[in-house]
Each structure stands twice: as structure tokens, then as C-alpha cells.
Amino acid sequence: MSGARASGGKAAPAGTMDTGQALARLEAAVERLAIAAARPRGPVGEGVSRAQVQAIADRLDETIARLRSALGEDA
């Protein structure tokens, strides 16, 4: 895992995080998502609903769009 939690795992106050820190935190979050996605699944009907997965995906898309905007990249 990357060094995104070098500050003790606490989030920096809004507006004080530099781009490198933000990218490291995003990279660490994506790494955690990949690890969770690779875990064996339980029987059908258990776990997270499709609606919950969609809500998480929507939030991730919004977060990525904000990051791209902050970095001055086109979507």
C-alpha cells in the first residue's frame, strides 16, 4: 500500500492538501477497493445490493471528476 496514511490516517483539512497528497490518498483508496473486489463472494443474495454498488460508483465518478477539474484536466 502507498504512503497515503503517513499523517496517522487523519484527513487533511479542506484546502490544505497538496496535489501529491491527494493523488496518494486516491491511489490508496483505489488499491483498497481492488483488494475488496478480489475477495471471494458469499452466496447470492448476501452482501451489498446493486443499488448500493451503483451509489458507490456514482460517488467515485463524482470524486474523479472533481480531481480532474482540480488538476485542470479535461474529463
Side-chain angles (χ1 to χ4, degrees):
M1 180 137 351
S2 67
R5 294 201 177 247
S7 64
K10 296 181 182 176
T16 62
M17 185 181 312
D18 71 18
T19 303
Q21 289 172 315
L23 290 172
R25 289 187 63 203
L26 180 59
E27 183 180 88
V30 170
E31 187 175 335
R32 289 190 303 273
L33 287 171
I35 290 167
R39 289 186 190 130
R41 309 279 189 278
V44 174
E46 291 183 12
V48 181
S49 72
R50 288 182 189 259
Q52 289 171 312
V53 170
Q54 186 60 54
I56 292 168
D58 291 344
R59 286 183 63 193
L60 182 57
D61 287 342
E62 292 170 11
T63 300
I64 291 169
R66 288 194 313 267
L67 179 61
R68 284 182 172 159
S69 176
L71 294 174
E73 295 181 9
D74 294 329

